[in-house]
Amino acid sequence: GVSPGMWQAPQVPRYVRVNTLKTSVEEVIDYFKRQGYAYLGKATSMKDLCSLSEKQFLLDLHLPDLLIFHPQLDFHKNYLYMAGHIVLQDKASCLPAFLLNPSLGSHVIDACAAPGNKTSHLAAILKNKGQIFAFDLDIMRLTTMSTMLVRAGATCYELANQDFLTVDPYDPKYREVKYILLDPSCTGSGMVNRLPGPEGPPSLERLQALAGFQRKVLTRALRFPGVQRLVYSTCSVHREENEDVVRDVLQEYGAAFRLVNVLPSWPQRGLATFLGSECCLRASPEETLTNGFFIAVLERKPEGDDTAS
Ligand code: SAM
């Protein structure tokens, strides 16, 4: 049973990602303790999260740089946020960069990057050592992103106001790109604060148009000759934008790439719509106390490995 004071999905906790380019998890924990919050240590289960009071916080179970606070709190005016020491980012949206896990010094593409929360997370994982090529079509969003990346202390990136579908995978500039993060436009149907949505569920036409774009952009990304690992993510709950996109693209590229079974302990997996879909992750307010989200991690098969994925 749920005891009084416990809050319930679809409310999700306030997640605070520590920007390790500017500070450390220890320093941020100390800061919040000095502000009067009690630190309860690392979470062990979802139940720990649901019983947090407004004056307590936890370290996340899966992500080493993520702190968890009560849903009612808002840190947009907090000094640490203004100074770029923390990023206010839902847990699900922290998973793509964490699971891509680029090695120090490597070259990474962020194909649909603005407003750049995942780019700044990638820069933190790279410790600013390496190169991120970040693309976005929308100049306004790129402008916001540029300000945010400066505030976050990221330096290892290059922004381009370019349609990723027009980027030449064989351009020598991208020869060393081993990692790609692909977080394309989607219906956004998983966003908690957009539920149920004033415009109602997306029309079939809109879903099909987005899914068509998502297949195209994923196909394009897999053409980069050096890419070894790719994370595909959406904040959609629709299988048309998620499992179906991955299934269709693997049908074409399954000889060269396979799905990686990431975070085996993660409770919510891809819908069982094709063989291997359980390698994908889903997230939701009910099951993972996050926004609705989908993630697939693809890796290039070793040469000479012809096994179907
Ligand atoms: N990854 C971002 C983050 O974590 O802050 C959010 C990305 S948002 C889901 C998708 C982005 O893709 C939008 O900013 C949109 O402008 C951009 N976009 C849409 N079509 C694109 C294209 N063909 N090439 C590059 N960017 C595109």
Side-chain angles (χ1 to χ4, degrees):
V2 176
S3 57
M6 279 197 170
W7 46 271
Q8 281 187 294
Q11 257 190 316
V12 301
R14 197 60 75 181
Y15 292 100
V16 169
R17 179 167 67 75
V18 175
N19 175 18
T20 53
L21 291 173
K22 287 221 153 166
T23 183
S24 66
V25 173
E26 293 69 32
E27 279 184 86
V28 173
I29 289 173
D30 284 345
Y31 171 87
F32 280 111
K33 283 198 206 156
R34 288 195 302 273
Q35 300 283 306
Y37 296 91
Y39 177 55
L40 305 182
K42 187 166 162 174
T44 55
S45 73
M46 290 231 317
K47 227 171 136 222
D48 291 349
L49 275 60
C50 296
S51 53
L52 270 183
S53 81
E54 292 196 22
K55 276 291 165 196
Q56 299 172 324
F57 69 111
L58 289 159
L59 184 65
D60 186 67
L61 183 59
H62 301 97
L63 290 142
D65 304 338
L66 198 66
L67 301 174
I68 313 172
F69 290 84
H70 189 275
Q72 293 311 324
L73 297 172
D74 180 3
F75 296 116
H76 282 93
K77 294 199 173 118
N78 188 279
Y79 161 76
L80 290 187
Y81 173 71
M82 312 278 228
H85 289 209
I86 59 173
V87 180
L88 304 176
Q89 188 175 358
D90 183 66
K91 174 172 176 175
S93 104
C94 293
L95 288 170
F98 173 74
L99 293 173
L100 189 61
N101 193 24
S103 51
L104 293 189
S106 60
H107 288 196
V108 184
I109 281 178
D110 191 343
C112 297
N117 278 339
K118 298 184 188 74
T119 318
S120 107
H121 194 188
L122 286 169
I125 292 167
L126 289 170
K127 303 190 162 132
N128 271 333
K129 294 182 179 78
Q131 181 69 35
I132 304 172
F133 301 99
F135 301 90
D136 206 280
L137 261 184
D138 186 326
I139 187 70
M140 293 301 291
R141 286 167 68 97
L142 269 179
T143 308
T144 309
M145 171 165 177
S146 175
T147 309
M148 192 278 284
L149 288 175
V150 169
R151 188 170 58 193
T155 53
C156 61
Y157 62 91
E158 190 181 297
L159 302 187
N161 184 201
Q162 189 179 350
D163 181 345
F164 182 67
L165 293 173
T166 68
V167 178
D168 175 11
Y170 293 97
D171 187 329
K173 190 173 174 184
Y174 310 120
R175 195 168 34 213
E176 284 181 54
V177 170
K178 263 198 194 162
Y179 300 92
I180 299 185
L181 192 149
L182 176 57
D183 186 42
S185 298
C186 69
T187 52
S189 54
M191 301 298 287
V192 169
N193 56 14
R194 262 193 242 170
L195 295 174
E199 71 289 344
S203 67
L204 191 59
E205 289 73 26
R206 179 159 153 71
L207 261 183
Q208 282 171 347
L210 281 166
F213 166 68
Q214 290 151 353
R215 272 195 299 271
K216 255 202 278 187
V217 82
L218 177 53
T219 303
R220 164 70 50 148
L222 293 179
R223 283 204 195 117
F224 282 75
V227 66
Q228 293 295 327
R229 191 174 174 90
L230 177 146
V231 172
Y232 174 80
S233 61
T234 76
C235 56
S236 164
V237 297
H238 289 91
R239 62 173 275 191
E240 290 87 341
E241 301 180 88
N242 298 329
E243 290 87 354
D244 290 1
V245 169
V246 170
R247 178 202 59 202
D248 291 353
V249 172
L250 276 178
Q251 253 162 28
E252 197 178 332
Y253 281 85
F257 289 89
R258 63 178 171 214
L259 280 167
V260 187
N261 190 28
V262 286
L263 284 186
S265 66
W266 189 261
Q268 196 178 359
R269 316 300 299 190
L271 301 178
T273 58
F274 67 94
L275 206 64
S277 64
E278 71 283 352
C279 292
C280 304
L281 305 183
R282 274 191 172 244
S284 63
E286 295 76 16
E287 289 195 56
T288 57
L289 294 173
T290 64
N291 282 288
F293 215 82
F294 174 85
I295 298 166
V297 182
L298 302 177
E299 74 181 5
R300 190 182 293 276
K301 289 181 187 174
E303 207 123 357
D305 179 349
D306 295 333
T307 52
S309 57

